Structures are given as structure tokens and as C-alpha cells.
Amino acid sequence: MLRIVKPKTKRAKRELEKRAPKLEENTKKLLLLHGTKVSSVLRGVLADLFHLRKAEGRALKYSKKNDGVRPFEGGGETSLEFLSQKTDCSQFAFGSHSKKRPHNLVLGRMFDYHVYDMIEVGVERYKSLESLGGGKKASPQPGSKPCFAFIGEAFEARPEFRHLKELLVDLFRGEVIETLNLQGLDRVFLCTAAGDKVLFRHCAIRLKKSGSKVPRIELVEVGPSMDMVIRRHREPSDNLKKEAMRIMPKTTKKKVKNVSGDPLVGKVGRIYMPKQDVGEMALAKMKGLKRERREAAAARAVAADSGTEAAPSNSPKKQRTE
């Protein structure tokens, strides 16, 4: 039987609220890990991927060996799903090395902390950030977005290439934004389909003077650079894909009348008051504000307009004594 564990601390309650389903999901986090055997090439690839994603604070890298993680094998995904739920990561990159599959890299996604889809590629002709002199040049600036260029008909015609395209775009998507400054486009990923391989290149964008408002663009390769050979891939079933792509209707909040928000003050309300009749209010009034005097002044004003004398007031006057 399923047992619901209630949080015992406020910190645990806040963490569960962050992981709860939302209409607008959080930005995806990437989990990087490797198996029992891993080559120096795969260590460099995982380190470079972590370097490109850590600027956003959406990457987590494990340095210890993970014996129980074996993608594409029965029961070998349980440990991976456990780590995904523990770290709240919906993407993963797993590196391994064997005689049958050397320099093996598996990229995948999670849905509800279960493996949604994944693809296995072999890494060849790898060049790291340090070897190409990338370093700080390849580090994405906060708030910047990458460009993607997919060259070749295979990315539209062949299902395995189309699947790899979706995973690469989702891997470096980051936070979804509506507007972006031209300075925010600082890098581009070039993916070229050549036979059964995908030539993956990472270049930095340099804006040069061109004598007009539109700058001249130059591309400088900063790494990582590698050739990927597609081996195995597993796409989600139609029912699972339909469940993951389901769009929930947005609930519109009922508008509260006469309430608005201000960036400095905060919540601002407007109050409508009825007309106040000060003459009928029981207050301590001056002599000039008494009702009898007001009526006498109004009568004199009417008499002055009509040319007749005003009638004497009924209110008694105090005699002045010397």
C-alpha cells in the first residue's frame, strides 16, 4: 500500500511545494553521472556539459561510480530514477566505457521521475574547452540564450536524428523567456548530419563593427567539439507522450474591484466615500456655522437680489452690556 509521508519541518514542506505539479513547470535540471568504468574522454565531456549548465544553477554532477545504473537494460533504470527523484532532476547525462561500446554517452529525460526517453551515442574526435582555449569565452553569461543550427535533411527524415535534435535543444534550452536583447545571443551550437554521424560544434558569437546598425557576426570555436555516432534510442509510447504533453487549462483569478498593485508601495486599494453633510453632523460648531445664522445669511442674499428687506430672524440676540 502507498504511504503518504507528511513533512515534519517547514523546510521539508517548502521543498515539497516546489516539487508539486504546476501549470508552469520549473526550469529543468541536469544530472550528470557515470558508471563503473568511464574513459578520460567521457570525463571531459561530462565536465564540459556541467560547465555550460552550471551558470544557470541547473546542473548537478556526481563524481562517484554508480554500479546500479544501466540504461537500456531491464531493472537498470531503478537507481537512475531514484537519483532523479532525490535531486529533482528531469534530465540526465550518463557516461560509460566498454569494449563493445567505447566512449558511450546516454542522454535522456524524465517524466514524473520515470525515464521518458533516451538516446545513446558514441563520442569520437573529442576536443575539450581547454584544448580550444574556450575557458571563460565559452561560459554562458547570466540571462543569455544559445542559437542552434541543424544542417542536413536527416534531422527531419530519420527518426533517430530527429530524436537527437529534440534532446539537444531541450538540454540547452534553459529558462523560457519572451524577449531577448541582441547581446544575449552569445553562442551557437552547430550540428551537421554526415552519414551516421552528427558533427557537434560549439562556437562563440562575436559582434564586430560593420559600418551600419546591423553588426557583423563572427564565429569562434570554443568547444566542446565532438563527433557523435548514434547507437540506440528509445522514444516514449503514444500514451505516455500524450500524458506528458497534456496542457492544463489556465485558471484565471477573479478580478478584485478597486485593488491594484504598485512596484514600490505594493497592494493599493481605492475607497469610495459617500457625500458628507457636515451641517447635519453632531459636532461642536462655531457661531458662524450654526444653522440659524446660515438661514439668515441665505435669506438676506435672496432679499438683496429681489430688492426687498430680509425678514428679521426669530433667533434672540444677546444685548451687549457695558
Side-chain angles (χ1 to χ4, degrees):
M1 296 179 62
L2 296 176
R3 183 169 59 94
I4 300 176
V5 180
K6 295 183 179 180
K8 297 182 180 180
T9 60
K10 292 184 178 180
R11 180 180 179 182
K13 184 178 179 180
R14 291 194 301 267
E15 190 66 24
L16 290 177
E17 290 177 354
K18 291 180 181 179
R19 301 187 181 190
K22 306 178 182 63
L23 291 177
E24 296 182 2
E25 294 292 339
N26 302 329
T27 307
K28 297 180 180 180
K29 293 173 61 178
L30 175 63
L31 176 63
L32 301 108
L33 66 166
H34 58 81
T36 306
K37 294 182 180 180
V38 61
S39 61
S40 59
V41 173
L42 262 300
R43 290 183 185 274
V45 172
L46 295 177
D48 290 346
L49 291 178
F50 176 71
H51 181 78
L52 296 176
R53 287 290 302 268
K54 72 177 181 179
E56 305 173 0
R58 298 291 178 178
L60 180 63
K61 185 175 180 294
Y62 281 177
S63 58
K64 294 183 179 180
K65 299 178 181 180
N66 297 273
D67 301 335
V69 179
R70 293 182 179 87
F72 295 99
E73 295 183 10
E77 302 170 359
T78 306
S79 180
L80 183 62
E81 294 173 351
F82 169 76
L83 294 175
S84 172
Q85 185 175 8
K86 179 181 178 181
T87 58
D88 193 22
C89 293
S90 56
Q91 297 174 336
F92 67 91
F94 177 76
S96 62
H97 179 72
S98 63
K99 185 178 180 180
K100 186 178 180 180
R101 293 183 177 88
H103 314 305
N104 199 48
L105 177 65
V106 180
L107 302 175
R109 294 178 289 186
M110 294 284 185
F111 174 69
D112 196 17
Y113 303 117
H114 295 284
V115 176
Y116 177 73
D117 63 344
M118 53 185 172
I119 190 169
E120 183 182 68
V121 297
V123 178
E124 298 178 356
R125 300 177 60 186
Y126 165 71
K127 295 180 181 179
S128 63
L129 290 168
E130 297 180 357
S131 61
L132 292 174
K136 295 182 179 180
K137 298 180 182 179
S139 300
Q141 300 297 327
S144 64
K145 303 292 287 185
C147 299
F148 270 90
F150 293 93
I151 305 171
E153 297 180 358
F155 290 108
E156 299 296 335
R158 301 175 62 176
E160 61 272 15
F161 280 78
R162 185 171 60 250
H163 189 197
L164 179 61
K165 174 184 175 181
E166 294 178 0
L167 282 172
L168 289 177
V169 172
D170 203 10
L171 185 66
F172 298 99
R173 183 191 303 272
E175 185 177 357
V176 179
I177 58 177
E178 297 180 357
T179 58
L180 182 66
N181 190 6
L182 182 61
Q183 298 292 335
L185 300 174
D186 57 352
R187 51 205 170 97
V188 59
F189 292 96
L190 300 175
C191 302
T192 306
D196 294 334
K197 296 182 180 180
V198 176
L199 310 182
F200 181 85
R201 304 292 183 266
H202 179 213
C203 301
I205 298 177
R206 298 290 179 258
L207 303 179
K208 304 293 183 180
K209 294 182 179 180
S210 62
S212 61
K213 293 184 179 180
V214 180
R216 181 170 55 89
I217 297 176
E218 291 185 0
L219 299 181
V220 181
E221 188 175 358
V222 293
S225 173
M226 55 185 163
D227 298 347
M228 295 185 290
V229 181
I230 300 178
R231 292 173 178 167
R232 293 181 291 179
H233 74 105
R234 190 180 75 187
E235 296 185 5
S237 60
D238 295 339
N239 294 334
L240 181 60
K241 191 174 183 179
K242 184 178 180 181
E243 180 68 18
M245 298 268 183
R246 185 175 59 178
I247 301 177
M248 300 297 293
K250 293 186 178 181
T251 56
T252 57
K253 294 183 179 179
K254 187 177 180 180
K255 185 178 180 181
V256 182
K257 294 184 178 180
N258 304 323
V259 177
S260 59
D262 188 85
L264 298 178
V265 181
K267 192 174 182 180
V268 180
R270 181 181 296 178
I271 301 176
Y272 291 90
M273 297 293 294
K275 186 178 180 180
Q276 302 294 321
D277 191 358
V278 183
E280 300 297 332
M281 298 178 66
L283 300 174
K285 302 181 183 66
M286 300 171 56
K287 290 183 178 181
L289 297 179
K290 289 186 177 181
R291 181 170 57 83
E292 293 82 1
R293 293 179 180 273
R294 291 199 308 274
E295 293 177 354
R300 285 195 300 269
V302 172
D305 294 340
S306 59
T308 58
E309 295 183 357
S313 176
N314 296 329
S315 59
K317 296 183 179 180
K318 294 183 180 180
Q319 297 182 356
R320 183 178 179 182
T321 57
E322 296 181 356

